[in-house]
Amino acid sequence: MTEVSRSAGIRAAVAALAVVLAAPVAFAQEPQPGQGGDRSDSVTADAEAVALPLQQYTDPAGRFGFVVPSQWGRSASETVDEIIFQNERGDSVRVTIAPLTVDPKAFANAYVDTYLKVLSQSLTDIRFVGQRPIDVGRRKATDYVFTGTFNEAPVTCRQVVVIGSTTVLYITFAGFGQLRTQSEQLFQSSLLTFWISPSFGGPVSIGTADPNAPAYTIAIPEGWTDEGETDGNSHMFRPAGARPSSAYISTRVTKIAPDSKLTEIDDVFIAAYRTALRQQYPENAMEVRLTRKIFIGGAPAVRFDYGYISNFGVRRAIMVLAVRNGYLIGLACDSVEQAYPIYEKSFETLFTTFKFR
């Protein structure tokens, strides 16, 4: 990489990292000797305040969620890719999702120096304390810690960074003044509740061997690999190191025969494929729980939710069929019944983010 292109990459990283601290509200002043009030009572009141019930936040797009202290109110944010919660002293937790515009390794190598420059826009006496690898929502992440000063008040800033294939998720904490340690403990507790959708990281473009077949993108869970057939029109995505009983997502594109009567998603089509789906399983070993018409990528489709008994126990599955430009597009999601809640958000995201290219 040339120095010019590397500099351009760092500038892109700066743009992605630009999670500037929210301006804190006025700090609560601690009573001074002779001015009345008992400092120990003030600290006790604050300590009791942090024990109040928590509130749950879920990203409307289903990308993440976490528990927030009930005293922390939601502040205005500029985009749907950012959420901010702040207490009355100005301590804050901010979650931001931004595109990854440089190589992940180059991004990680340049992170500390880049973020120090970002913090210098708001703080003085900035110092990088250290970093550590952690797990957040079953994803590998790095927890970076910085300190500084804002209007003579000490500041602790932590930024937890989760890098996807095309996207970065930042969880930023900023604590101000003498009571920042209490807020940092609340942040740590919230971090333990944080979940991230397995589909986080970016969509996967699905190609086909047939040059005339519709191409499309879907949000495959991060880290899942394609173990599909070799014909180029079928794909099967499974977790790394998957066992025979592991969950999977499969796709298939098939050209509809010229003499076929099943060329659109109507009642005849739905009845025919419902029967064909049942015939794939032994009698009394499968149940179609729900059949409904939907749209995926703007195309009419039918969705079958069903359960069945296999050699690996009771399983739960979804099959979606759509017709576009003379081709049948099929998507299927499958997991054991007990593990289905773990994958449900990823499976639903598969259909809501589906787009034809």
Side-chain angles (χ1 to χ4, degrees):
M1 178 183 294
T2 66
E3 194 60 31
V4 173
S5 63
R6 185 175 184 83
S7 297
I10 297 303
R11 286 197 297 273
V14 171
L17 278 169
V19 186
V20 181
L21 298 174
V25 299
F27 295 113
Q29 297 295 317
E30 296 181 2
Q32 300 297 319
Q35 293 183 347
D38 188 322
R39 186 174 185 277
S40 62
D41 289 344
S42 174
V43 173
T44 300
D46 280 294
E48 292 174 348
V50 301
L52 291 179
L54 303 174
Q55 57 181 323
Q56 175 73 48
Y57 174 79
T58 300
D59 172 50
R63 296 169 295 182
F64 64 89
F66 65 107
V67 172
V68 187
S70 61
Q71 285 183 297
W72 293 39
R74 181 172 174 178
S75 300
S77 53
E78 296 181 356
T79 73
V80 296
D81 292 327
E82 180 178 79
I83 182 71
I84 306 167
F85 288 93
Q86 192 174 43
N87 68 11
E88 62 181 7
R89 295 192 307 273
D91 303 338
S92 64
V93 173
R94 178 189 302 241
V95 182
T96 307
I97 293 179
L100 178 63
T101 56
V102 297
D103 177 77
K105 185 175 181 180
F107 175 92
N109 290 340
Y111 171 83
V112 173
D113 289 339
T114 302
Y115 198 58
L116 283 170
K117 293 177 182 178
V118 172
L119 291 177
S120 67
Q121 300 174 26
S122 303
L123 307 177
T124 58
D125 303 324
I126 306 163
R127 185 170 68 93
F128 171 54
V129 177
Q131 67 188 69
R132 64 188 179 107
I134 63 172
D135 289 327
V136 176
R138 300 185 179 182
R139 298 293 299 275
K140 299 297 181 184
T142 304
D143 184 7
Y144 298 92
V145 182
F146 303 84
T147 61
T149 303
F150 183 87
N151 290 343
E152 299 184 355
V155 178
T156 297
C157 179
R158 290 174 58 180
Q159 190 166 72
V160 176
V161 181
V162 183
I163 302 177
S165 57
T166 61
T167 313
V168 184
L169 184 146
Y170 306 93
I171 310 169
T172 306
F173 164 78
F176 300 84
Q178 300 303 316
L179 297 177
R180 67 189 186 283
T181 300
Q182 294 178 5
S183 294
E184 187 175 9
Q185 292 173 348
L186 291 177
F187 167 73
Q188 185 67 38
S189 297
S190 290
L191 201 60
L192 295 174
T193 70
F194 208 96
W195 59 263
I196 301 173
S197 170
S199 62
F200 168 77
V204 172
S205 179
I206 304 299
T208 60
D210 185 339
N212 299 315
Y216 52 89
T217 60
I218 54 177
I220 297 298
E222 183 79 11
W224 287 33
T225 58
D226 188 355
E227 300 178 358
E229 300 175 11
T230 58
D231 67 355
N233 293 318
S234 299
H235 298 269
M236 177 177 284
F237 298 90
R238 308 185 75 193
R243 297 172 296 179
S245 60
S246 294
Y248 66 83
I249 293 169
S250 65
T251 69
R252 175 77 184 176
V253 175
T254 307
K255 186 173 180 59
I256 299 175
D259 58 347
S260 175
K261 297 181 180 180
L262 305 176
T263 59
E264 60 179 318
I265 307 298
D266 55 15
D267 291 342
V268 174
F269 180 102
I270 293 172
Y273 275 94
R274 183 186 176 99
T275 299
L277 183 61
R278 286 183 177 277
Q279 291 175 346
Q280 296 180 28
Y281 302 91
E283 188 177 359
N284 299 323
M286 182 268 197
E287 175 189 17
V288 178
R289 300 174 179 174
L290 181 65
T291 302
R292 53 179 165 150
K293 293 181 180 179
I294 64 171
F295 287 87
I296 57 170
V302 58
R303 169 171 169 165
F304 301 102
D305 289 67
Y306 61 98
Y308 66 97
I309 300 173
S310 73
N311 293 334
F312 301 109
V314 179
R315 299 184 70 88
R316 185 171 172 182
I318 303 170
M319 176 175 286
V320 172
L321 300 171
V323 173
R324 185 178 177 90
N325 299 336
Y327 285 83
L328 178 67
I329 297 94
L331 308 175
C333 309
D334 193 300
S335 80
V336 295
E337 180 80 39
Q338 298 91 328
Y340 188 84
I342 298 174
Y343 301 105
E344 185 173 10
K345 289 183 180 294
S346 296
F347 290 170
E348 296 298 335
T349 299
L350 190 73
F351 309 120
T352 58
T353 61
F354 180 100
K355 293 182 180 180
F356 287 105
R357 292 197 289 130

